Amino acid sequence: MEDFQYHAPGSVDAAVSLLRDAEDGKVVAGGMSLLPLMKLGLAAPGGLVSLGKVSGLDGIADRGSEIEVGALCTHAQVAAAEIVRERIPALAAMAEGIGDAQVRNRGTIGGSVAHNDPAADYPAACLALGATIATDRREIAADDFFLGMFFTALEEDEVITAVRFPVPTRAGWAKFPNPASKYAVAGVMAADGPAGVRVAVTGASGDGVFRVAEMEAALASSFEPASVAGVSVSAEAMLSDDAAGPEYRAHLVTVMAKRAVEEA
Ligand SMILES: Cc1cc2nc3c(=O)[nH]c(=O)nc-3n(C[C@H](O)[C@H](O)[C@H](O)COP(=O)(O)OP(=O)(O)OC[C@H]3O[C@@H](n4cnc5c(N)ncnc54)[C@H](O)[C@@H]3O)c2cc1C
């Protein structure tokens, strides 16, 4: 691991200013994704700006038509929050299925969406529910946020402060996890809510999270498992690794979509 300067500011503004001053500065939240990359030498930030001492970013609030989740909320907090379990149970179920207990107790929602791992679960939830990502300077619709594998609309010195999820009429989550890491081989959230009927898939494509228009149209006519059971997705852009090849992943997308609608 390369040497780096460590900072632990007490406010978002101070964090932003440290990021601007640092040579290749990086925010660290739970460290569950960034620290392994640093240990492997795949990331070598000159300045590490921890959000650990910034207050006010770890609350979950009911805003009526939306649930607002602070960027520093851990997956375990989201999974356990009564408000989330009651109003968006699919989101609580999704958070409950992330990694293992250690990862859920350290990893944060802000870190997950900022990292945009192609197999991470939150990007699918954000896209399916039509979430908004709030930062220190603007609000970004999930539709405009996830731009490809490990690539988002965030600027280098931008800090996520919260993610807001519109409360859906119904939503369901299903994931086929990698048995070792628990990352999604294919994970699907199907939702019917203020953003319309949406089906968002993670884990399957090399381009990261994506929506399935044909499934969405079928569900808009009739929101039931049978509507998606016969809709297949192309294996062309699917990831291939030890866990699954492209054809199997494409097949899993349809199976997970059906299960997600059943859950909804
Ligand atoms: C063994 C293992 C299993 C896992 N399994 C799963 C799984 O099943 N599903 C899943 O979805 N994820 C899984 N993860 C990933 C986990 O959810 C991480 O917590 C998450 O990806 C990153 O969150 P973090 O808070 O640890 O971010 P960090 O590692 O601290 O940061 C990750 C990236 O986000 C940036 N960042 C962090 N916070 C902010 C912010 N507020 N604003 C702007 N940028 C920010 C950092 O600069 C960095 O680039 C797994 C991880 C491990 C190690």
Side-chain angles (χ1 to χ4, degrees):
M1 199 188 274
E2 301 290 325
D3 286 347
F4 57 86
Q5 295 285 319
Y6 179 80
H7 308 278
S11 71
V12 172
D13 285 351
V16 171
S17 126
L18 283 161
L19 283 171
R20 283 183 184 149
D21 293 346
E23 194 180 318
D24 193 16
K26 271 271 180 205
V27 164
V28 63
M32 291 289 98
S33 295
L34 183 55
L35 295 192
L37 289 178
M38 290 171 67
K39 283 185 182 168
L40 292 168
L42 296 172
L48 213 50
V49 181
S50 169
L51 296 180
K53 291 199 169 137
V54 177
S55 57
L57 298 185
D58 61 353
I60 300 178
D62 191 338
R63 305 266 182 237
S65 61
E66 292 184 323
I67 300 295
E68 184 176 282
V69 182
L72 282 186
C73 285
T74 61
H75 312 321
Q77 270 177 278
V78 174
E82 273 310 309
I83 312 169
V84 182
R85 295 176 78 88
E86 273 171 26
R87 303 206 63 205
I88 319 183
L91 186 62
M94 184 230 76
E96 203 159 22
I98 291 177
D100 49 36
Q102 289 89 339
V103 169
R104 289 193 293 276
N105 279 311
R106 291 292 308 171
T108 65
I109 185 171
S112 180
V113 297
H115 195 53
N116 194 17
D117 189 301
D121 300 336
Y122 268 114
C126 289
L127 210 51
L129 294 166
T132 300
I133 290 90
T135 76
D136 61 287
R137 66 200 67 168
R138 58 184 170 146
E139 312 232 312
I140 311 169
D143 291 346
D144 303 323
F145 185 84
F146 301 105
L147 301 181
M149 185 189 273
F150 299 116
F151 185 37
T152 71
L154 284 178
E155 290 168 23
E156 298 274 309
D157 60 352
E158 193 163 11
V159 175
I160 298 172
T161 52
V163 181
R164 293 203 308 271
F165 295 93
V167 177
T169 313
R170 51 193 161 176
W173 166 249
K175 161 164 119 170
F176 189 92
N178 179 308
S181 70
K182 303 293 187 272
Y183 272 109
V185 176
V188 176
M189 188 167 284
D192 177 5
V197 173
R198 289 180 168 216
V199 176
V201 180
T202 190
S205 165
D207 294 329
V209 66
F210 67 97
R211 287 170 59 191
V212 187
E214 203 182 330
M215 288 185 180
E216 292 177 352
L219 289 173
S221 307
S222 174
F223 199 96
E224 54 181 306
S227 299
V228 292
V231 181
S232 53
V233 296
S234 164
E236 213 167 283
M238 294 287 149
L239 286 165
S240 182
D241 58 21
D242 290 350
E247 287 80 17
Y248 184 46
R249 266 197 164 81
H251 171 72
L252 281 176
V253 170
T254 301
V255 176
M256 291 305 114
K258 185 168 160 270
R259 287 188 193 166
V261 178
E262 276 163 8
E263 286 299 317

